[in-house]
Amino acid sequence: MTSELDIFVGNTTLIDEDVYRLWLDGYSVSDAVALRVRSGILEQTGATAAVLQSDTMDHYRTFHMLERLLHAPPKLLHQLIFQIPPSRQALLIERYYAFDEAFVREVLGKKLSKGTKKDLDDISTKTGITLKSCRRQFDNFKRVFKVVEEMRGSLVDNIQQHFLLSDRLARDYAAIVFFANNRFETGKKKLQYLSFGDFAFCAELMIQNWTLGAVGEAPTDPDSQMDDMDMDLDKEFLQDLKELKVLVADKDLLDLHKSLVCTALRGKLGVFSEMEANFKNLSRGLVNVAAKLTHNKDVRDLFVDLVEKFVEPCRSDHWPLNDVRLFLNQYSASVHSLDGFRHQALWDRYMGTLRGCLLRLYHD
Amino acid sequence: MPGKLKVKIVAGRHLPVMDRASDLTDAFVEVGARSCPSKHRERQVDDEDLQDEPLQITVLDHDTYSANDAIGKVYIDIDPLLYSEAATVISGWFPIYDTIHGIRGEINVVVKVDLFNDLNRFRQSSCGVKFFCTTSIPKCYRAVIIHGFVEELVVNEDPEYQWIDRIRTPRASNEARQRLISLMSGELQRKIGLKVLEMRGNAVVGYLQCFDLEGESGLVVRAIGTACTLDKLSSPATFLPACSSPSKDMKEIPFNEDPNPNTHSSGPSTPLKNQTYSFSPSKSYSRQSSSSDTDLSLTPKTGMGSGSAGKEGGPFKALLRQQTQSALEQRGGSPHRFCRRREFPFFTLTAFPPGFLVHVGGVVSARSVKLLDRIHNPAFVGIMGNTRSYKLLDWNSFNSDEPETRDAWWAEIRQEIKSHAKALGCHAVVGYSESTSICEEVCILSASGTAAVLNPRFLQDGTVEGCLEQRLEENLPTGCGFCHIPYDELNMPFPAHLTYCYNCRKQKVPDVLFTTIDLPTDATVIGKGCLIQARLCRLKKKAQAEANATAISNLLPFMEYEVHTQLMNKLKLKGMNALFGLRIQITVGENMLMGLASATGVYLAALPTPGGIQIAGKTPNDGSYEQHISHMQKKINDTIAKNKELYEINPPEISEEIIGSPIPEPRQRSRLLRSQSESSDEVTELDLSHGKKDAFVLEIDDTDAMEDVHSLLTDVPPPSGFYSCNTEIMPGINNWTSEIQMFTSVRVIRLSSLNLTNQALNKNFNDLCENLLKSLYFKLRSMIPCCLCHVNFTVSLPEDELIQVTVTAVAITFDKNQALQTTKTHVEKSLQRASTDNEELLQFPLELCSDSLPSHPFPPAKEHLESASSNSGIPAAQRATSVDYSSFADRCSSWIELIKLKAQTIRRGSIKTTVTVEKASPMGEGNFRNRSAPPCANSTVGVVKMTPLSFIPGAKITKYLGIINMFFIRETTSLREEGGVSGFLHAFIAEVFAMVRAHVAALGGNAVVSYIMKQCVFMENPNKNQAQCLINVSGDAVVFVRESDLEVVPTQQPAANCHPSCTEGEVTT
């Protein structure tokens, strides 16, 4: 007696969250059955392995049919084939687009191309995430990227509208898309200590302040290069950043800046002497990072530079986080008192974001 | 009675990409009611045609250089629009279905019908007769008169077997078949409707339509039902005029071209028939001879040679005959005008108004084996050669003897059923159903029902008054009356064992009762019920034609007997004494016969406590054998005790003497069994003769019996928190909560070895069913505590070694805490239920004023709530979709009138253009949303519930929108790519559900009740990577209102304004 055909179709589509997770994680039916057996479900329900097998197959088949719809979530809402309560629909979408921290760290900032897709094998072995799951996550990134790539308007809103993701997940995707578009280097050994959350935080700040959309004014000429408002950094802004060089090139200005900062922080900083000794180096580092951003290659190395030029020196001197905060606040605020410096707005736009990023990046 | 059909194509979405090069689809639509749209610009559409023909909308992809590609079709049955009070408009998203690719996108369609009512010269149509699949009086109606049995059948050649099928594409063939069947069922329904009008009824309840795919010899579509005169439960106008009328008017006024719309709402007590139908009785008589009403005079058991199963019982029959005659004499005393019409006093109903059912005799059934012959009729071939016009063939319109066969066959069976009922002292058969099983050219026809005595108050004529009167005089206590024997105690037609009723102590009752009906609402039950199944396989030699039929005929009586024994054993093992909803299905295959009986066992308080099961060995001198026997005996006793506890069967102790006979001597017993198995093939007869024993003896003298005992003990009870039954409601559970889940599960197994034994076969089959049930319990574990209701098993044998089991059922949750109390308050509850009529009257005003509410896909409050709670996801979706639809809607919003049969070409914008469309649209955002709200506000698709039951727990059905009867074929030539047989069928069934839901939603309904999957024929050819499946489903589309919502209705009244139908009304004017 062999089973040729075995199906179960409910008027309301049954969705087992546990099986869905196993499916998303890329387990084969037999692996999934084994895992379910191990979870002790047989003892709880008094079912047999055959029942479990049939149940798992059913769910896998359903998910397989749903997958096509999940690629365009609004379709899932409007399709008529599967009657799924809205809360379940949301769950299906949210889980489908969820990703593994380990995986996203591997591909963050990489070009979402076929070449990268070929490396998924290695990523799978490295992270222990099944290749199937890696592919799904990669394809999700790519799909979202393709859809919102050419769109104007807020990146997060666009993602939310077209993929019906939760606010949090949409923000994460915005970061992924932003990183993929600007190809920020995140894979260097130095950067390994950073989590996806750190990068996502920085990405959000950068999207808010450094992109075309951040200017906040409606573009006068819609045919100009305003199309990718949230995806691309504001080229003009990056060009202007060169002007900041004067802060370190002009020795008087640098000294004045240092004295202003030191006066304000004296007694408040545990690492005052180290700060005082390192001020010029740190300031040079931060300003040079800004000045270099005109080149695409240097943009990509932004995070490497930040860690090399600022995070690592501070860390080697064991600055506590609070001291870093006090320093950065004072460092950016003091510039306003420099009479000879004319690019206050530019400085604020640059330093405001950078300060937030650095504070987030500064940890072990 | 001509009419005007208006069709509007509003929008399309999710269309497949038909042009790979551009990733676009140039979709356009053809609307028609015939496959060959006529060239006349003006054509009158008679409502007769409207009834037969479904509206057909074909979506095509325009190709400049080659023939246009078909994307798919939508068939819309416009029947519901032809009733004066059902739906007034069909409007909504329909899946575009293709028989090769399945659902490919959706199309938004609005359909309306204007009938010119005054032109009623030749009444060939049966507009106005309502059809219900529900096998009880529909919830918002009252039965004025229950007229009786109506039946009809239509035969045609199967397009799949026409010569042209060799040269046409599978798609064309499938579509021809789908179309033909829908035409045939349309015609059938119309003819039945006519018969009902003749009987002066206005509705058919328990309408059951079936297809017999006879293969070479053709396609039979047959239907049975119960004609009734229904009266809508008194209108709310008298109670709450202010509230009810506005909502009604809002819906009706735009469509008021109909001269007498919903007059019932104004006059509460006016019977429906007075208003709607006017025709003279003499006229109806003239139509009496129509089609399949064969005259009673024929003696059924003679002449029909081709392998009719030997139905000649031995001495038993003689007794039956006697009884029949006496009954006939009684009846003959009152000659009546309507006698001829009521030749078969059958009722397809399974639940009845209180007081309708007086006594129940027992199950009556009849089977007959027939040989299907291809009928070579020149006229027939001549017409069918022309594939373009499916002129339906009514066999009777051909003046040959042969086409009468199918009718004659059924007439013969029905005649037999009738005589059996007579033998039981009953004048009627209730819970009546018919079925067939076909394999190659052999066909088993089966009919079964429950012999009963009915209260003539509900019947139009007094055919039965004579024999009833004396019974009615005795004041029958409720709760046990139906159990009392209808036959004369002194002149019993069979040796039965009777006791005084345990409830009233006045009347005699049998010790077990088998019926095909639902448990009467006033019955007193102890404990809970459970699903009882008897499963049986018998091998049979492969044979041809006559020999095959004979072999089957010879096997049938044994099968019936064994199935019955199994049922009886299992019933005893459960400690119960009555079966309801009994359905025995015998399926014939190439090399085996399958029997599957399902029923719901209960403990009726009126019947005596069932005795245990006694095991007796044949060779008592063997010590170890004895030990084995006693071991088994102990196990059985334990099981009975356990079951009693499980199902909470603890009848009050009877102090009086129990008039039970002692356990008969084993030897004598066995002789009795044998003699019967040889002489009879009738469930009834066996039933009652078995009923003689207080304790039941199983003699394990052969391996078969051994096996039986084992199978008894291997049946695993459902896990705790689960109950199952195959009746409408689970006896002993009254407190349903609102969660329901209808499902269909299909399993096919391949039998491994070639030389199977009966035992191995039985075991395989048993395991298949048990595993299937276990699987269901596992899948639905999240609903615990719940009950599987209306569990409907269907067995088919598609190929030599394949067994297919299809199960459709509904899982309903219930409140466990209250369930525990039911045993105590049971009588109270059942009394309550009997008086629901009164309650309904009171609650009705509330229901009606909320009439338009449920058709709104989502209560607005909820939508707001959702958008508020997650201001991100949902609104975004709305925006996105409104862009999508309206872009399309703008381009193609124009009415197409069917009469002109004009195909309109609609170009569809590509999806990629949606962004620019938004900008180009002259309307601002706000305006945009407002406008798109009514027709396409279903940004989330409205929920449509489906249930095989006639009710929805926790809700009131406020309106019946018409019958849903759909037939689909799906075929694939890329089976592997679609996920193998399982993937293919899974997708197909999901699609069928989707199409049913879409049609119901378009009618403005939110549920399907009495849903049934009547056919699921699956064929595969894995070597060729092909598979084909035919599915036939039916049910009643309804509008329901949650009982909890009824109170909040007034506040939500404004919500009705944005109902689609209202805005559509504006469009039309």
Side-chain angles (χ1 to χ4, degrees), chain A residues 22 28-38 49 52-53 56-57:
Chain A
L22 291 169
S28 68
V29 174
S30 50
D31 289 348
V33 171
L35 283 167
R36 291 182 85 187
V37 168
R38 228 172 292 157
L52 206 59
Q53 167 86 16
T56 312
M57 286 284 281

Side-chain angles (χ1 to χ4, degrees), chain A residues 1-19 36 41-42 44-48 50-65 68-69 72-90 146-147 150-152 156-168 170 222, chain B residues 13-14 93-95 103 106 719 740-753 763-765 767-768 771-772 774-776 778-782 802 858 862 866 871-874 876-877 879-881 885 915 918-919 938-947 977 979 981-987 989-991 993-995 997-998 1018 1020 1022:
Chain A
M1 183 175 95
T2 50
S3 189
E4 284 273 302
L5 185 158
D6 179 4
I7 56 159
F8 174 98
V9 191
N11 183 36
T12 305
T13 307
L14 282 184
I15 287 155
D16 187 310
E17 288 183 41
D18 298 334
V19 185
R36 291 182 85 187
I41 196 164
L42 294 186
Q44 285 164 33
T45 57
T48 62
V51 166
L52 206 59
Q53 167 86 16
S54 134
D55 180 65
T56 312
M57 286 284 281
D58 253 329
H59 283 301
Y60 266 55
R61 222 168 18 240
T62 309
F63 298 144
H64 183 73
M65 285 189 262
R68 190 176 51 85
L69 299 163
K75 264 193 189 172
L76 183 72
L77 258 66
H78 304 296
Q79 54 81 32
L80 303 173
I81 299 178
F82 302 98
Q83 184 158 283
I84 306 170
S87 62
R88 288 264 141 173
Q89 285 179 344
K146 287 268 171 222
V147 168
E150 312 257 302
M151 252 171 222
R152 60 182 71 209
V156 177
D157 284 357
N158 284 339
I159 292 172
Q160 224 161 35
Q161 186 173 329
H162 287 87
F163 292 93
L164 312 177
L165 302 179
S166 71
D167 193 51
R168 221 196 90 74
Chain B
R13 67 182 182 195
H14 301 159
W93 288 100
F94 289 90
I103 290 178
E106 292 126 34
I740 64 169
Q741 166 72 291
M742 189 281 297
F743 59 85
T744 293
S745 184
V746 183
R747 272 197 190 187
V748 177
I749 57 158
R750 186 175 290 279
L751 301 165
S752 45
S753 59
K763 191 178 175 309
N764 277 337
F765 185 39
D767 288 351
L768 171 61
N771 287 339
L772 190 46
K774 270 185 222 160
S775 238
L776 298 182
F778 180 76
K779 283 209 170 279
L780 299 163
R781 65 192 185 282
S782 64
L802 293 185
F858 266 100
K862 197 181 169 190
E866 268 172 5
N871 54 1
S872 45
I874 312 281
R879 246 174 291 144
T881 49
Y885 309 152
V915 179
E918 183 184 29
K919 196 148 188 282
N938 358 0
S939 56
T940 19
V941 182
V943 173
V944 175
K945 299 215 171 202
M946 289 167 79
T947 170
E977 293 77 0
V981 284
S982 297
F984 170 72
L985 195 61
H986 191 142
I989 292 178
E991 285 173 347
F993 286 0
M995 286 184 276
R997 287 193 302 256
F1018 179 72
E1020 55 164 330

Side-chain angles (χ1 to χ4, degrees), chain B residues 436-472:
Chain B
T436 57
S437 171
I438 298 169
C439 178
E440 302 287 308
E441 69 273 273
V442 175
C443 172
I444 302 182
L445 310 182
S446 316
S448 70
T450 306
V453 174
L454 304 178
N455 187 337
R457 184 159 61 89
F458 291 92
L459 306 169
Q460 190 181 27
D461 52 25
T463 339
V464 292
E465 268 166 46
C467 61
L468 251 175
E469 257 154 28
Q470 78 264 32
R471 292 199 180 280
L472 285 174

